[in-house]
Amino acid sequence: LGTGVYSFADRRIYVLRGNFSWSLREPSKDQWGWELLLPVTAGINDFKSFDIQVATFTFIPGVKAEIPVSDHWLLKPFAQIGVGKDFSGGDPSFIWGYGVKSLGNYPYKNMEFDLGLGITYANHTQSGSRGDDGFTKFDFGVNTRWPTRLNIQGRQTFFNAFVVYSEFVNDIELLLPLEDNLDLTRLFRLGLTLEGRPSFAIWFIPLRGLGIDFTYGNNIRGIGITTGFPF
C-alpha cells in the first residue's frame, strides 16, 4: 500500500511510504539501466473495535535493472531484501521479494498510453522460521497522458489518469483480534496525477509527478497520495 489511509474490516491503516531510489545508470539502446531501491514505510494499524494501535516500520532495499527491449518497451526485473518491525512486541521480520515489471509507452497524436504488467513474489521469516508461504501478485495497468498548459517550476506538465488491477494468487491473511482471518485477494487502484518533465523537485527530492489515488478491493477501501503510474 502507498501513502494514504485505508479501512479494512475493524481496522484503519495509516501508511507513510517513501519510494526513494537512486539511478546508477540510465538505460539506452546499447546498455541496461540500473537503479538502487531504498523504500521506507511507516504505518499505524488502529483497531477500532478493541482500542488498540500497532505501529510498524519496514526498510527493504534492493536493485532494479531496466532492460530496453525496443524503443517503446522496458523490462524491469528487481530483487529486494530488508527488515520489518511490529512495535507491539516480538522480533523483527526479515522480508524479501523479487519479480519483474514490464512498461510499454505508445504515443498517439498529442497523447501517450502506458501499458504495465508485473509479477511479484514476497515472503518473510521471523526468529528463523517462516510464518507462511508468502504471496504472489500479478499487476496489470493502463495509463493515459495529456499535455497541459500549466508550467510548474519551469517544466512542461502532463495530466495522467491510470487504473491498476492486482490479483493475489495466494490470498494475504490479515489477522484480526478475536475474529477469523480475512483474506485480501484483489485490488483496484485509480490514480490522477500531474507529471513534470523533467521531474519536479520538492526539498531537493525529485518527483516525477504528484496526485491522488483511490484503492478498492474485497473488504478494503482507501485514499492516498501517489507519484504516478507504479510500473
Side-chain angles (χ1 to χ4, degrees), residues 68-206:
V69 180
S70 70
D71 291 341
H72 300 285
W73 182 20
L74 279 176
L75 283 181
K76 303 180 179 183
F78 63 91
Q80 296 172 242
I81 184 169
V83 65
K85 176 63 176 153
D86 170 356
F87 292 100
S88 65
D91 297 330
S93 291
F94 291 96
I95 304 168
W96 69 91
Y98 52 85
V100 61
K101 294 183 178 181
S102 167
L103 177 63
N105 175 260
Y106 306 98
Y108 177 73
K109 295 184 179 180
N110 67 330
M111 301 170 53
E112 293 181 23
F113 291 89
D114 296 326
L115 177 64
L117 298 169
I119 180 172
T120 302
Y121 173 78
N123 208 336
H124 77 282
T125 181
Q126 189 174 36
S127 302
S129 62
R130 292 172 62 174
D132 52 41
D133 295 326
F135 68 86
T136 301
K137 180 168 69 81
F138 290 94
D139 298 303
F140 172 76
V142 177
N143 179 62
T144 58
R145 182 181 296 107
W146 299 278
T148 75
R149 295 183 179 180
L150 295 176
N151 189 291
I152 301 176
Q153 296 183 349
R155 292 160 171 80
Q156 183 181 9
T157 61
F158 297 81
F159 176 76
N160 290 255
F162 66 82
V163 60
V164 177
Y165 172 73
S166 300
E167 177 80 21
F168 296 91
V169 177
N170 304 345
D171 298 348
I172 297 180
E173 294 183 351
L174 299 181
L175 300 177
L176 302 177
L178 305 180
E179 295 184 15
D180 294 334
N181 293 351
L182 289 178
D183 294 338
L184 182 60
T185 59
R186 62 187 61 89
L187 289 176
F188 293 91
R189 288 179 62 193
L190 172 65
L192 305 171
T193 68
L194 274 179
E195 172 188 304
R197 293 186 180 176
S199 299
F200 299 120
I202 299 179
W203 298 319
F204 304 103
I205 299 174

Side-chain angles (χ1 to χ4, degrees), residues 10-84:
D10 74 336
R11 74 181 67 177
R12 183 165 292 161
I13 305 171
Y14 303 89
V15 179
L16 180 62
R17 180 177 176 86
N19 280 325
F20 304 116
S21 62
W22 185 270
S23 179
L24 303 175
R25 187 172 70 187
E26 293 293 330
S28 69
K29 291 183 178 180
D30 302 322
Q31 64 182 12
W32 294 10
W34 291 95
E35 190 172 1
L36 184 64
L37 306 176
L38 301 167
V40 178
T41 305
I44 295 177
N45 285 261
D46 184 5
F47 295 92
K48 295 174 286 185
S49 301
F50 300 93
D51 195 25
I52 299 172
Q53 288 188 341
V54 177
T56 62
F57 177 84
T58 65
F59 175 56
I60 314 175
V63 64
K64 177 175 69 176
E66 297 184 323
I67 306 171
V69 180
S70 70
D71 291 341
H72 300 285
W73 182 20
L74 279 176
L75 283 181
K76 303 180 179 183
F78 63 91
Q80 296 172 242
I81 184 169
V83 65

